[in-house]
Amino acid sequence: MELLSITKTSSLGSKDSSQREKADSGMPERRATMPPPSDIVKVAIEWPGANAQLIEIDQKKPLSSIIREVCDGWSLSGSEQFALRYADGPQLYITEQSRGEIKNGTILRLAISPTRAARQLLDRIQSHGIDARLEALKELAKLSADPTFATEFINMEGIGTLARLVESGTHFGEMLAFTLTAFLELMDHGIVSWDLISLSFIKQIAGYVNQPMVDVSILQRSLAILESMVLNSHSLYHRVAQEITVGQLIGHLSNQEIQTYAIALINALFLKAPEDRRQEDHTNPLDQCLTEMASTLAQKHLRSIILNHVIRGNRPIKAEMAHQLYVLQVLTFNLLEERMMTKMDPTDQAQRDIIFELRRIAFDGENDPTGTEKRKAMYTKDYKMLGFINHVNPALDFTQTPPGMLALDNMLYLAKLHQDTYIRIVLENSSREDKHECPFGRCAIELTRMLCEILQVGELPNEGCNDYHPMFFTHDRAWEEFFCVCIQLLNKTWKEMRATTEDFNKVMQVVREQINRALAMKPSSLEQLKSKLRSLNYAEILRLRQSERMSQDDFQSAPIIELRERIQPEIMELIKQQRLNRLCEGSCFRKLGNRRRQEKFWFCRLSLNHKVLHYGDLDESPQGEVPFELLTDKIPVSDIKSVVTGKDCPHMKEKSALKQNKEVLELAFSILYDPDEALNFVAPSKYEYCIWTDGLCALLGREMGSDLTRSDLDTLISMEMKLRLLDLENITIPEAPPPVPKEPSSYNFTYNYG
């Protein structure tokens, strides 16, 4: 290979600088008559204090030969002690496995080999000089994210060295923070099992969490390490659970810098609790720990701190915090699963007494016949008025799971805590004889089953889902109160529909729609939920259904169909331009990985000439547009072969855990480009997923077939047709626009909107 050395300057020469600017801005480069071979890549290579080299890398040659030629260009001996790294972005080492990702115009840097770097850093972090050790740990924290370096450092027993530094308790402040960062980065590669971590290390990390006045950066990393232990090791879960209690973690929720880490650890502790220990009244310390966690999730202290310091805090809730709140909400509701899946035992007197209590509260004051036969007959009549299907033995109504005993718990809560409402609902319907009575017992059981389905009680949290409801954090008994609101809604809707027993399923469908529509509005409190449900009465549901049906239905006459066909191409072009404009603005995507770590992001946007996709890593989610200069990687649109979605994406095939996650699967898509590489995405929302898949299809000249495109097309065509079909009879349309009125004599006036 011929080496071309750039003189004149210590960096890239003026000619290559202009080439780099063109590449970064997406400007097309002038190509030679014969295109370069696909296995030849033009790159620039830098070395501190020397002029940069512009060379052509032959991807068929061994990487060691290329490095040797680069070293020869600078008269450097011992090429085996050097390696190539990217000069921008994460600055990862280039290996034989990853060299295929090098693109034309990439800037590389000659650096010491990962083996040599690992040996030097390992020696420096064990040196006696504090300043030298601090700089070494700082550099190690940065390099540990590189899998190639991490492998070499771990093979030199580097993790054990870091663990001993932590266990010694002699590191504090910035030095300890860098040590913990490096440790977490190295363990995140999955090269070493978490089971090898010693008990003394766990105690030391737990001590940082339990100590007052510990530096925020140390707390963040300590909480993240403990979360990783819990999520990745069954045996370490038990050790961490003995060292850290949920009550201790609650104290950290008032600190906005670490509250996300604290909630994540709380979630991990409960999520990974062994199934066989999810019972109460154990004497084992671990069982007591789990019982404490279960009770802590439902206690007022935790709820009120999350409500006041997180949900109603003075900072906007970021995606990771929203996910952790969603997970906490799911885990809290999953505490109901045991009761939901417990059948009632008709022979259990204690359980039967609950039904007797329901009857007593509803019909208290009536004379109780002394005869057994009279009492039995009266009870049967009362159970019928209570709306049970089995009048003789209503315990049989609770033998189906779900909802099992959870339905009876809800009914008893309503009867005792909202007694007036309960009595009114029961007596109001038991006194009717026109076949329009609402069967309270049957409705309560079916409603409980419905609410369990809506809130997914008993299901594991979905990766990437942020769908939490603030109102469930506003009450100590949020589930029961939610049921009480919904049973009143059901009774009200039943009356509005003038339903009979034959209409039971229709009423439940309407109630489900009312609840789903109200939850979609994200009410911040139960009072707001009541207000939104009042506005969503049966008449409003019919109006919304009619409106949605009208917006979806097309007129079937031939002229209307012809008009629609004429309008559709220009509307599709309008949608296409909107999609491409959004791609030019760009979007931020979250990197897939373990949620225990601080979020990592990357950004992608289309060049203004629609010829190049620019992308690159970011330290945090951007607040606005990211300039092209910060996006160091790019893909020419002409190199894109296809766009695949869902389970066909390479990263969905590789990550078996995510492959089973329906929600992540629905938001995944990949760009396949030359030669056989892929750029993988997981959209932050369904809207962004549709925007990007549509825009990429438009770039490739293919049909945009997303749900959003169909919705936008229907909306815009409907609006355009309504405008064109306006009744303009006897209305004169001026040929010229109306004149602009004169300016007022003064602007000292106001308008009272009241």
Side-chain angles (χ1 to χ4, degrees):
M1 173 179 291
E2 180 181 358
L3 278 180
L4 301 179
S5 179
I6 309 291
T7 58
K8 305 260 184 190
T9 60
S10 61
S11 60
L12 285 178
S14 59
K15 177 181 177 181
D16 298 287
S17 297
S18 77
Q19 290 177 351
R20 182 180 176 186
E21 290 171 1
K22 287 182 179 181
D24 288 342
S25 62
M27 295 174 62
E29 296 182 12
R30 188 175 297 172
R31 297 189 177 183
T33 305
M34 294 296 293
S38 59
D39 52 5
I40 299 297
V41 183
K42 295 181 179 181
V43 301
I45 302 181
E46 299 175 339
W47 174 254
N51 297 329
Q53 299 182 37
L54 180 65
I55 70 171
E56 293 183 349
I57 291 180
D58 186 350
Q59 295 285 35
K60 293 181 179 178
K61 293 184 66 173
L63 190 59
S64 58
S65 299
I66 297 172
I67 295 173
R68 185 182 308 112
E69 293 178 8
V70 173
C71 291
D72 291 343
W74 283 310
S75 301
L76 298 173
S77 60
S79 62
E80 66 278 359
Q81 298 293 319
F82 294 92
L84 292 177
R85 294 172 60 187
Y86 289 99
D88 301 317
Q91 301 181 3
L92 300 177
Y93 278 101
I94 295 169
T95 63
E96 290 288 356
Q97 292 73 29
S98 64
R99 62 185 296 181
E101 300 174 5
I102 303 175
K103 305 294 184 299
N104 281 318
T106 301
I107 300 177
L108 305 179
R109 179 177 298 159
L110 185 67
I112 62 173
S113 68
T115 304
R116 184 179 172 189
R119 172 54 60 192
Q120 289 182 357
L121 285 175
L122 192 59
D123 293 339
R124 288 165 59 193
I125 64 176
Q126 298 178 84
S127 65
H128 296 292
I130 296 179
D131 292 339
R133 190 185 304 178
L134 177 61
E135 287 301 315
L137 287 169
K138 185 176 182 180
E139 187 176 348
L140 177 63
K142 183 178 179 180
L143 275 176
S144 295
D146 189 306
T148 307
F149 171 84
T151 302
E152 297 296 335
F153 190 80
I154 290 171
N155 289 339
M156 298 177 185
E157 303 296 331
I159 285 184
T161 301
L162 293 178
R164 286 191 293 273
L165 290 176
V166 174
E167 292 171 7
S168 67
T170 57
H171 284 50
F172 304 97
E174 208 176 15
M175 188 177 294
L176 178 58
F178 287 132
T179 304
L180 297 179
T181 300
F183 179 86
L184 186 59
E185 290 282 1
L186 291 167
M187 293 299 297
D188 187 49
H189 293 291
I191 301 172
V192 178
S193 172
W194 282 92
D195 290 323
L196 300 177
I197 303 301
S198 67
L199 181 59
S200 60
F201 181 85
I202 298 173
K203 288 181 177 292
Q204 189 68 36
I205 297 296
Y208 297 139
V209 175
N210 294 330
Q211 288 176 10
M213 305 300 292
V214 175
D215 186 74
V216 168
S217 60
I218 296 174
L219 266 178
Q220 288 177 340
R221 288 152 181 80
S222 298
L223 289 167
I225 290 173
L226 291 173
E227 184 196 358
S228 300
M229 292 178 182
V230 172
L231 292 175
N232 291 285
S233 171
H234 177 74
S235 61
L236 290 190
Y237 158 79
H238 296 286
R239 294 180 179 179
V240 173
Q242 290 175 323
E243 298 294 331
I244 296 289
T245 65
V246 178
Q248 292 169 329
L249 295 174
I250 291 177
H252 294 301
L253 296 180
S254 56
N255 187 333
Q256 293 181 333
E257 300 294 333
I258 59 175
Q259 55 190 198
T260 303
Y261 296 88
I263 293 180
L265 180 53
I266 291 174
N267 289 337
L269 282 169
F270 192 74
L271 187 63
K272 291 299 180 177
E275 290 293 335
D276 60 346
R277 297 192 180 275
R278 299 198 176 201
Q279 306 291 332
E280 296 185 4
D281 299 328
H282 290 286
T283 56
N284 187 294
L286 290 174
D287 296 329
Q288 293 174 350
C289 175
L290 183 57
T291 303
E292 180 208 347
M293 285 192 292
S295 61
T296 303
L297 285 180
Q299 69 176 246
K300 181 177 181 179
H301 187 48
L302 173 62
R303 178 194 61 77
S304 61
I305 287 182
I306 290 176
L307 180 65
N308 296 323
H309 293 278
V310 180
I311 298 176
R312 295 177 180 173
N314 53 14
R315 288 189 180 185
I317 294 179
K318 296 183 179 181
E320 177 61 20
M321 175 58 82
H323 174 75
Q324 295 299 339
L325 290 174
Y326 155 76
V327 173
L328 184 62
Q329 173 185 290
V330 171
L331 295 178
T332 303
F333 285 142
N334 282 357
L335 296 174
L336 305 168
E337 182 182 11
E338 183 182 356
R339 295 292 285 174
M340 180 183 74
M341 300 307 296
T342 300
K343 296 181 180 180
M344 186 172 185
D345 182 2
T347 63
D348 190 319
Q349 187 58 43
Q351 295 180 3
R352 291 167 60 88
D353 287 342
I354 299 176
I355 300 178
F356 294 154
E357 182 68 6
L358 290 175
R359 191 210 69 83
R360 186 195 65 77
I361 294 174
F363 306 110
D364 188 30
E366 296 187 8
N367 294 327
D368 188 7
T370 55
T372 303
E373 292 299 324
K374 290 184 178 181
R375 187 186 303 112
K376 185 176 180 180
M378 192 192 77
Y379 282 4
T380 300
K381 179 182 176 182
D382 289 346
Y383 292 145
K384 181 178 181 180
M385 289 192 291
L386 277 172
F388 289 113
I389 297 176
N390 296 279
H391 308 150
V392 177
N393 187 6
L396 298 175
D397 286 16
F398 300 96
T399 54
Q400 290 188 355
T401 57
M405 290 294 291
L406 184 59
L408 187 59
D409 295 341
N410 287 340
M411 295 167 69
L412 185 63
Y413 181 89
L414 175 69
K416 288 192 170 184
L417 275 297
H418 299 273
Q419 194 169 111
D420 292 342
T421 301
Y422 168 70
I423 294 174
R424 175 178 56 79
I425 292 175
V426 172
L427 297 184
E428 186 179 87
N429 290 284
S430 63
S431 60
R432 302 183 66 167
E433 297 181 358
D434 54 2
K435 297 185 180 180
H436 290 287
E437 68 275 1
C438 175
F440 169 75
R442 182 184 177 188
C443 287
I445 294 171
E446 187 59 34
L447 177 64
T448 301
R449 180 186 290 110
M450 180 195 297
L451 297 183
C452 290
E453 293 173 358
I454 292 174
L455 297 178
Q456 300 178 333
V457 175
E459 297 185 16
L460 289 176
N462 290 324
E463 177 77 18
C465 182
N466 302 334
D467 189 25
Y468 79 97
H469 296 279
M471 69 174 183
F472 290 127
F473 293 89
T474 63
H475 200 283
D476 298 334
R477 305 292 295 273
W479 164 264
E480 291 85 351
E481 290 294 323
F482 184 48
F483 169 83
C484 294
V485 171
C486 293
I487 194 68
Q488 295 178 70
L489 169 71
L490 194 158
N491 186 62
K492 174 173 168 284
T493 302
W494 186 285
K495 290 187 291 185
E496 291 172 348
M497 295 177 64
R498 292 189 57 79
T500 62
T501 306
E502 288 75 16
D503 301 317
F504 183 84
N505 291 332
K506 293 180 181 179
V507 176
M508 297 307 298
Q509 290 174 3
V510 173
V511 171
R512 179 186 287 269
E513 184 174 349
Q514 290 171 312
I515 295 172
N516 282 327
R517 287 182 182 271
L519 289 178
M521 300 179 197
K522 297 291 182 182
S524 59
S525 66
L526 290 165
E527 289 302 319
Q528 276 198 16
L529 174 68
K530 294 177 185 178
S531 175
K532 295 184 184 303
L533 288 175
R534 279 194 295 269
S535 64
L536 287 170
N537 54 38
Y538 180 54
E540 177 65 11
I541 292 295
L542 290 179
R543 189 193 68 77
L544 290 172
R545 286 179 174 179
Q546 180 69 13
S547 175
E548 292 168 358
R549 194 159 43 242
M550 288 292 290
S551 65
Q552 295 171 1
D553 292 343
D554 297 323
F555 299 105
Q556 298 302 315
S557 61
I560 298 298
I561 294 175
E562 182 181 353
L563 176 61
R564 180 183 179 89
E565 291 174 351
R566 287 185 180 182
I567 293 174
Q568 184 163 333
E570 59 186 82
I571 298 296
M572 284 299 295
E573 182 63 25
L574 183 66
I575 295 174
K576 175 183 174 181
Q577 291 303 319
Q578 188 270 341
R579 300 296 193 263
L580 293 177
N581 289 340
R582 279 287 289 106
L583 263 62
C584 289
E585 294 174 7
S587 296
C588 180
F589 300 90
R590 184 176 59 81
K591 283 193 171 185
L592 283 178
N594 199 316
R595 282 189 167 272
R596 68 182 185 272
R597 311 267 310 281
Q598 185 173 356
E599 280 191 292
K600 293 187 178 180
F601 302 91
W602 66 286
F603 196 90
C604 186
R605 63 181 297 197
L606 178 67
S607 64
L608 300 181
N609 61 7
H610 297 175
K611 292 187 177 181
V612 179
L613 275 174
H614 296 261
Y615 64 96
D617 292 339
L618 300 174
D619 293 331
E620 58 183 13
S621 180
Q623 299 301 317
E625 190 176 274
V626 176
F628 289 109
E629 292 75 18
L630 297 179
L631 305 177
T632 56
D633 301 305
K634 54 186 177 290
I635 300 174
V637 173
S638 58
D639 289 351
I640 299 178
K641 292 181 178 180
S642 63
V643 178
V644 295
T645 61
K647 63 183 180 180
D648 296 325
C649 297
H651 57 320
M652 292 295 101
K653 296 176 181 178
E654 294 169 2
K655 295 181 177 287
S656 58
L658 294 176
K659 186 177 178 183
Q660 301 175 356
N661 192 311
K662 182 179 178 182
E663 189 150 355
V664 171
L665 210 60
E666 290 176 349
L667 299 177
F669 62 97
S670 297
I671 295 174
L672 306 182
Y673 60 98
D674 227 10
D676 288 311
E677 300 177 0
L679 182 62
N680 302 313
F681 300 73
V682 174
S685 64
K686 186 68 175 177
Y687 175 81
E688 289 292 333
Y689 170 85
C690 294
I691 288 289
W692 274 85
T693 52
D694 284 343
L696 293 171
C697 287
L699 282 175
L700 300 179
R702 299 173 185 171
E703 181 181 355
M704 299 182 295
S706 72
D707 295 338
L708 182 62
T709 292
R710 288 191 289 271
S711 174
D712 289 348
L713 181 65
D714 291 342
T715 300
L716 293 173
I717 285 183
S718 176
M719 291 173 60
E720 184 67 18
M721 291 182 65
K722 288 175 182 177
L723 287 173
R724 297 193 183 194
L725 296 174
L726 282 175
D727 186 4
L728 301 179
E729 188 177 356
N730 298 326
I731 297 177
T732 303
I733 301 178
E735 297 181 359
V740 178
K742 295 181 180 180
E743 291 189 9
S745 57
S746 73
Y747 290 90
N748 298 325
F749 59 86
T750 59
Y751 184 81
N752 187 357
Y753 288 91

